[in-house]
Amino acid sequence: MGSVNKPDDEEGWSKQEAEWHDSLSIEEFVDLNMLSSYGVQDEEDAQKLKKLRESYEAATALIAGEYVFECWECDGRGAIEVIVDEHGLSQEDCSDCNGEGVQYVDEEEAAERIDGGYTPLRTPSA
């Protein structure tokens, strides 16, 4: 497709969702738009929808027990400022999230964060 049709973070899409959307073939993109506009009209549409859902789930699924939270260290920016010398600062990828801006945690860590008032960005899909 190309980045013209790639949803961005301002639309509330995760990186995985945007990558899935951008990976759609022209036919899949047209099918997705038609199904969104007109719904399922027949068995062929139902099969197209099923295929798109399976593709989406495979691209965005979390491992059972895995939660995603905004990175605490960089506040979700993916980078932190470090002192280079007495004259300036520099930006570096956050080592806590490897520059992604998010952290993947298990159920135990997620429970602690949720109890502390943090809301996960994503939760396991089953």
Side-chain angles (χ1 to χ4, degrees):
M1 289 297 311
S3 61
V4 172
N5 293 314
K6 185 174 180 181
D8 60 26
D9 292 337
E10 291 178 14
E11 293 180 30
W13 290 58
S14 71
K15 180 180 177 183
Q16 293 88 354
E17 289 169 324
E19 287 173 351
W20 169 80
H21 188 270
D22 202 38
S23 74
L24 294 175
S25 69
I26 292 172
E27 293 82 12
E28 291 169 327
F29 185 75
V30 169
D31 289 343
L32 179 62
N33 285 328
M34 293 298 287
L35 290 167
S36 296
S37 297
Y38 302 107
V40 175
Q41 302 294 319
D42 55 25
E43 185 60 33
E44 183 179 354
D45 286 351
Q47 290 301 316
K48 289 176 184 177
L49 180 60
K50 181 180 177 184
K51 182 179 173 189
L52 286 166
R53 281 185 175 157
E54 288 171 354
S55 168
Y56 175 83
E57 288 172 7
T60 63
L62 292 171
I63 298 168
E66 188 173 52
Y67 291 75
V68 179
F69 286 85
E70 184 175 273
C71 178
W72 293 354
E73 184 66 27
C74 66
D75 294 324
R77 293 186 314 271
I80 56 171
E81 289 185 344
V82 293
I83 298 173
V84 177
D85 56 28
E86 65 273 356
H87 302 292
L89 299 173
S90 176
Q91 293 270 329
E92 275 186 14
D93 280 351
C94 176
S95 61
D96 284 4
C97 66
N98 298 317
E100 291 185 43
V102 296
Q103 295 175 314
Y104 298 83
V105 300
D106 62 19
E107 291 174 346
E108 187 175 313
E109 175 70 19
E112 289 177 20
R113 291 184 183 200
I114 292 168
D115 287 344
Y118 293 92
T119 303
L121 299 173
R122 293 181 62 206
T123 60
S125 56

